[in-house]
Amino acid sequence: MSRGALPEEVQLERQLRPQRLDEYVGQRAAVESLRISVEAARGRGEPLDHVLLSGPPGLGKTTLATIMANEMNAALVTTAGPSLDRGADLMGILTNLGERDVLFIDEIHRLPRMVEELLYPAMEDFAVNFVMDKGLNARTMRIPLRPFTLVAATTRPGMLSSPLRERFGIFHHLDFYELEDLVSIVTRSASILGAPLEPSGAEAIARRARGTPRIVNRLLRRVRDY
């Protein structure tokens, strides 16, 4: 979701997002690797391993998180690093996850350190350690969680701590898109919106999108309005 976007814009943005790996255009290496991971997890009846996606804004990290939840027939719970400023916020989300649900944390590099440390046992052992009382009466209560998949996105992978980064079993960096992929994306989006689009028009829009699907769809909507 883009900051400051109008409700209609947000609705259209979601409408244009692919829902399955077969519909996803571009990022071939990442998509094929994720396809193998998803099929293997489904075959074993286990949750997908934790996934870290990095890359500039607008390249499809949120879309891939949605797709992975769909492919695993799981619910998707979405939040963002800046929103989780207290450990209790994360505890509430984790304890309410169903088995094999997908938790998507955007901008995970902005998680406060204390909240990040709560994630370690949750990711490794599907449990959280909750400290009761203070001082001499302090004691730790271990709360089991249902097995889940954490999909995290970051535009600043260098800001992630090593302990957090090492707990992800799957890591993919998303690159800017080739022109032919952007042409395919804008052509698909135009058909969904019911907007007539010539091949030359699709290429003209794609060339101005700076390698980013979010921008190519935004330009398409402005051209359609015009």
Side-chain angles (χ1 to χ4, degrees):
M1 184 184 298
S2 304
R3 286 187 180 82
L6 298 171
E8 184 184 359
E9 292 282 284
V10 173
Q11 191 175 349
L12 281 172
E13 200 171 288
R14 289 177 177 168
Q15 182 185 351
L16 297 178
R17 286 177 179 167
Q19 298 298 310
R20 295 284 178 178
L21 285 172
D22 288 341
E23 301 171 15
Y24 196 93
V25 177
Q27 310 295 343
R28 290 172 182 79
V31 167
E32 286 310 307
S33 177
L34 287 170
R35 190 190 307 278
I36 292 169
S37 299
V38 165
E39 289 176 359
R42 283 195 312 225
R44 292 192 302 268
E46 298 175 357
L48 182 67
D49 205 350
H50 303 303
V51 182
L52 178 62
L53 302 171
S54 70
L59 297 189
K61 297 184 290 295
T62 303
T63 299
L64 278 174
T66 304
I67 287 174
M68 280 182 274
N70 291 340
E71 294 285 354
M72 294 296 296
N73 296 317
L76 176 70
V77 178
T78 302
T79 186
S83 304
L84 300 170
D85 55 358
R86 298 181 305 132
D89 298 332
L90 180 62
M91 286 277 290
I93 292 172
L94 290 173
T95 53
N96 282 298
L97 289 175
E99 190 159 345
R100 300 184 201 171
D101 280 358
V102 174
L103 170 61
F104 176 60
I105 302 181
D106 200 8
E107 298 183 276
I108 194 169
H109 60 274
R110 295 179 62 185
L111 269 183
R113 182 73 184 187
M114 183 186 71
V115 179
E116 178 186 315
E117 289 175 354
L118 272 176
L119 266 181
Y120 299 164
M123 294 173 71
E124 283 192 318
D125 305 321
F126 299 119
V128 284
N129 300 319
F130 185 67
V131 179
M132 309 276 290
D133 296 327
K134 294 181 180 180
L136 294 174
N137 296 320
R139 54 197 175 89
T140 301
M141 183 169 68
R142 191 171 178 83
I143 303 172
L145 304 172
R146 300 175 188 91
F148 71 98
T149 296
L150 173 62
V151 179
T154 177
T155 54
R156 306 283 295 276
M159 291 181 66
L160 291 180
S161 68
S162 294
L164 179 58
R165 192 165 50 241
E166 289 165 3
R167 282 170 169 80
F168 288 95
I170 302 170
F171 174 80
H172 291 294
H173 178 77
L174 305 188
D175 295 310
F176 289 108
Y177 285 61
E178 300 289 337
L179 177 63
E180 62 183 271
D181 289 334
L182 289 171
V183 169
S184 297
I185 290 169
V186 75
T187 302
R188 173 185 175 275
S189 297
S191 68
I192 292 173
L193 295 176
L197 185 65
E198 298 289 334
S200 58
E203 184 174 336
I205 294 172
R207 285 187 181 281
R208 290 160 175 80
R210 303 196 296 277
T212 307
R214 181 182 293 165
I215 295 176
V216 86
N217 284 330
R218 192 173 295 158
L219 289 173
L220 171 66
R221 297 197 298 272
R222 297 292 75 78
V223 169
R224 179 197 61 170
D225 292 347
Y226 182 82

